[in-house]
């Protein structure tokens, strides 16, 4: 594995990466940050003289997606931070992506221009409108080559549909609709219609004092356009079928692992909250991430997860201090590799974890400046709890909780991963001979 993206020095809050997403071919990779910017990286094409150099990602387009706003009715500041980016499948030469902050989803078109029209009839070359009386002849405009320009233009703005903060967006497999999810409601949109959406889930109680759980994430099934799941802060996942009723308040399946009473503690409810839910590419499995574990569920078995992976079990004894410094509320994401055989999720100290579902082997890797030399090989890391520390191990007491990997992405078909460590994007790939 090697790193392709260098570090840019000290961290400014606006530069903290808040989402990472490959498009459906893996040729493009988008990141969103707390400053409301979207940066799109494009993969270099293979050159004849250096066939192994393919895979470098370089900046393709940078644009300001969201601006800070102020809600005067509620006296609330609306942050510009990009919460999620989702690519639409490519239909023509242009690329489309959805990006959202807490309140507004935008559809962006990213297109290339390398020709410009010259020879207008009604205006001069500098753009001034000509007096129609002076036009005596018609000219046929010609296209002249120009330097390649990549333009990002907002095509749709979907706003005013959420009372609470949007935590996820998901594009349906019909490629006509998508859903946006906040703490209490899920809305279904048509990609062409911006002024109305349909509310498909509403868990808001009549009396807000009776509120016991919130929605934390939601995703459409990869190939059944009527099915979606949403996860809750109580550690449960509900699967809904939009064919059954217009309002999916009654779920068709309910996935939840019964709690072991012997493990019950003050923190049980907080650490069981699900921060991310992802369908496998095959559509057969569901992966969920809570504070300490990643679980894989079979859609045909609701009673318990098929597999449970401990991400950082050594933090069980540290929950008290993690609660005091608010880290216990961190929302880690999880991703599948292209063949659904390996899963990846982040941890603290710039560590990220990979679990091989077939061999049951797992590895801890670190994304940091020390090993960010291009073509550097990543060494597995180990954390020791108490007792004697071996030479290459790191003690649980010396972990840096301010360095956390919340957002990762995996190339849809190759072993290329993108890891966001605060304001740095690391791109690692399988070693090429």
């Amino acid at each position: 594995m090697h790193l392709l993206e260098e570090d840019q020095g000290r961290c400014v809050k606006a530069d903290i990466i808040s989402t990472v997403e490959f498009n459906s071919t893996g040729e493009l990779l988008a990141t969103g940050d707390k400053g409301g910017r979207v940066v799109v990286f494009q993969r270099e094409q293979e050159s004849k003289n250096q066939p192994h150099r393919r895979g470098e990602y370089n900046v393709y387009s940078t644009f300001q997606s969201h601006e800070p706003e102020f809600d005067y009715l509620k006296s609330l500041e609306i942050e510009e931070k990009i919460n999620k980016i989702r690519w639409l499948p490519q239909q023509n030469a242009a690329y489309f992506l959805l990006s959202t902050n807490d309140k507004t989803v935008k559809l962006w078109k990213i297109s290339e221009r390398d020709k410009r029209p010259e020879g207008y009839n009604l205006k001069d070359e500098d753009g001034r409108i000509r007096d129609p009386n002076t036009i005596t002849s018609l000219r046929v405009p010609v296209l002249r080559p120009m330097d390649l320009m990549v333009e990002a233009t907002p095509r749709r703005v979907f706003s005013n549909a959420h009372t609470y903060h949007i935590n996820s967006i998901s594009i349906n497999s019909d490629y006509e609709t998508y859903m946006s999810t906040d703490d209490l409601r899920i809305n279904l949109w048509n990609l062409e219609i911006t002024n109305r959406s349909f509310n498909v889930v509403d868990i808001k109680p009549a009396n807000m004092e009776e509120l016991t759980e919130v929605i934390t994430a939601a995703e459409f099934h990869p190939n059944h356009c009527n099915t979606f799941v949403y996860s809750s802060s109580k550690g449960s996942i509900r699967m809904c079928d939009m064919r059954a009723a217009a309002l999916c308040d009654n779920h068709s399946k309910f996935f939840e692992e019964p709690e072991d009473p012997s493990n019950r503690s003050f923190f049980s409810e907080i650490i069981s909250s699900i921060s991310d839910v992802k369908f496998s590419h095959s559509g057969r499995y569901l992966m969920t991430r809570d504070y300490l574990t990643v679980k894989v569920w079979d859609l045909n078995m609701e009673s318990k997860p098929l597999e449970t992976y401990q991400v950082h079990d050594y933090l069980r004894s540290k929950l008290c201090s993690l609660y005091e410094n608010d880290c216990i509320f961190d929302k880690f994401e999880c991703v599948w590799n292209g063949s659904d055989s390996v899963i990846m999720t982040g941890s603290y100290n710039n560590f990220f974890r990979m679990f091989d579902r077939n061999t049951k082997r797992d590895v801890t890797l670190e994304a940091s400046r020390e090993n960010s030399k291009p073509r550097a090989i990543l060494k597995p890391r180990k954390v020791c709890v108490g007792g004697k520390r071996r030479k290459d191990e790191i003690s649980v007491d010396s972990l840096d909780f301010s360095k956390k990997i919340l957002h990762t992405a995996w190339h849809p078909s190759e072993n290329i991963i993108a890891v966001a460590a605060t304001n740095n994007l690391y791109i690692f790939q399988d070693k090429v001979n």
Side-chain angles (χ1 to χ4, degrees):
M1 290 194 166
H2 63 261
L3 171 88
L4 303 174
E5 194 57 32
E6 275 298 339
D7 196 292
Q8 305 99 32
R10 62 194 187 78
C11 179
V12 185
K13 183 170 181 273
D15 294 339
I16 294 174
I17 297 172
S18 51
T19 183
V20 188
E21 189 78 9
F22 279 102
N23 75 339
S24 56
T25 60
E27 289 303 302
L28 298 181
L29 169 69
T31 65
D33 65 22
K34 286 197 173 180
R37 288 181 304 264
V38 171
V39 180
V40 179
F41 298 87
Q42 185 182 42
R43 194 173 183 194
E44 285 299 300
Q45 293 307 310
E46 200 168 301
S47 62
K48 285 198 168 61
N49 48 1
Q50 287 180 308
H52 296 316
R53 281 303 290 265
R54 179 174 159 66
E56 305 254 331
Y57 282 82
N58 294 321
V59 175
Y60 177 63
S61 173
T62 304
F63 57 94
Q64 188 72 30
S65 172
H66 287 70
E67 304 278 355
E69 292 173 68
F70 193 79
D71 183 338
Y72 293 98
L73 288 173
K74 298 201 177 90
S75 292
L76 268 182
E77 264 183 89
I78 301 168
E79 277 190 85
E80 64 272 41
K81 172 187 164 215
I82 310 289
N83 292 340
K84 281 280 183 292
I85 290 173
R86 289 285 177 265
W87 290 92
L88 275 72
Q90 194 177 357
Q91 313 280 0
N92 52 26
Y95 301 99
F96 288 88
L97 62 82
L98 285 175
S99 65
T100 184
N101 68 347
D102 286 341
K103 296 287 178 194
T104 306
V105 183
K106 293 185 182 180
L107 174 68
W108 288 89
K109 176 185 180 181
I110 301 167
S111 52
E112 293 184 0
R113 258 198 14 212
D114 59 357
K115 292 184 178 65
R116 69 161 176 263
E118 276 181 17
Y120 294 104
N121 287 295
L122 299 175
K123 58 184 182 186
D124 287 325
E125 295 304 334
D126 57 3
R128 275 185 305 207
I129 302 293
R130 290 169 65 182
D131 178 5
N133 299 323
T134 64
I135 300 173
T136 54
S137 61
L138 285 178
R139 292 190 290 176
V140 178
V142 290
L143 287 173
R144 295 242 188 273
M146 57 177 261
D147 289 341
L148 178 70
M149 260 176 64
V150 181
E151 294 178 313
T153 43
R155 298 307 299 269
R156 310 255 188 289
V157 178
F158 307 88
S159 53
N160 304 326
H162 286 276
T163 313
Y164 306 95
H165 291 345
I166 299 173
N167 55 43
S168 48
I169 44 178
S170 178
I171 295 170
N172 201 347
S173 57
D174 62 9
Y175 306 141
E176 285 179 20
T177 56
Y178 77 91
M179 65 180 172
S180 56
T181 307
D182 68 26
D183 295 344
L184 299 178
R185 297 191 180 99
I186 299 176
N187 292 334
L188 182 70
W189 300 82
N190 185 305
L191 281 161
E192 300 293 323
I193 302 167
T194 59
N195 59 357
R196 76 170 179 269
S197 61
F198 297 96
N199 179 233
V200 288
V201 172
D202 186 348
I203 64 165
K204 185 181 178 185
N207 176 7
M208 280 295 270
E209 287 175 6
E210 291 165 10
L211 182 69
T212 57
E213 65 180 330
V214 294
I215 301 171
T216 54
E219 191 178 58
F220 270 118
H221 190 282
N223 28 22
H224 299 319
C225 61
N226 51 280
T227 307
F228 66 90
V229 292
Y230 67 91
S231 58
S232 89
S233 56
K234 277 195 157 172
S236 58
I237 308 109
R238 290 173 177 83
M239 190 162 150
C240 301
D241 188 335
M242 292 192 291
R243 295 173 302 189
L247 195 62
C248 303
D249 284 353
N250 296 323
H251 49 265
S252 55
K253 290 191 175 185
F254 182 77
F255 303 87
E256 187 177 49
E257 186 165 32
E259 197 194 9
D260 179 359
S262 63
N263 279 344
R264 179 118 191 99
S265 76
F266 170 74
F267 303 109
S268 295
E269 208 160 289
I270 304 173
I271 63 172
S272 66
S273 173
I274 292 173
S275 54
D276 196 15
V277 58
K278 293 266 168 60
F279 274 104
S280 62
H281 296 83
S282 67
R284 170 74 191 268
Y285 303 105
L286 262 182
M287 167 166 55
T288 59
R289 170 73 210 258
D290 56 39
Y291 191 63
L292 294 176
T293 65
V294 175
K295 297 187 172 98
V296 174
W297 303 77
D298 188 320
L299 288 193
N300 301 327
M301 184 170 79
E302 299 167 62
S303 55
K304 62 177 192 291
L306 200 61
E307 302 152 20
T308 301
Y309 300 98
Q310 300 295 337
V311 178
H312 36 216
D313 203 43
Y314 45 79
L315 295 183
R316 250 180 227 284
S317 59
K318 295 253 171 284
L319 292 178
C320 222
S321 53
L322 289 163
Y323 178 74
E324 283 163 11
N325 64 14
D326 276 352
C327 284
I328 201 167
F329 301 108
D330 285 335
K331 293 178 168 55
F332 291 95
E333 294 169 9
C334 51
V335 287
W336 301 88
N337 72 339
S339 60
D340 299 332
S341 59
V342 183
I343 55 187
M344 170 171 66
T345 190
S347 179
Y348 292 104
N349 209 63
N350 279 355
F351 288 170
F352 57 98
R353 305 269 285 134
M354 287 185 177
F355 302 96
D356 188 314
R357 298 180 56 213
N358 299 328
T359 63
K360 295 293 181 264
R361 283 164 58 187
D362 64 279
V363 66
T364 303
L365 300 169
E366 182 183 7
S368 73
R369 271 195 221 174
E370 284 67 65
N371 50 25
S372 70
K373 310 261 184 310
R375 316 266 175 286
I377 307 284
L378 285 185
K379 286 202 295 283
R381 305 300 305 258
K382 284 213 161 40
V383 178
C384 73
V385 187
K388 256 183 84 171
R389 189 165 66 89
R390 290 211 192 94
K391 182 170 84 56
D392 52 354
E393 288 185 337
I394 180 164
S395 155
V396 69
D397 296 316
S398 55
L399 294 175
D400 185 345
F401 292 111
S402 66
K403 292 181 176 166
K404 49 193 94 164
I405 289 180
L406 303 175
H407 316 285
T408 56
W410 202 307
H411 188 289
S413 55
E414 297 179 41
N415 276 338
I416 298 177
I417 57 170
V419 176
T422 326
N423 63 329
N424 306 311
L425 179 68
Y426 295 89
I427 298 174
F428 302 106
Q429 68 176 47
D430 252 0
K431 199 170 83 198
V432 194
N433 299 330

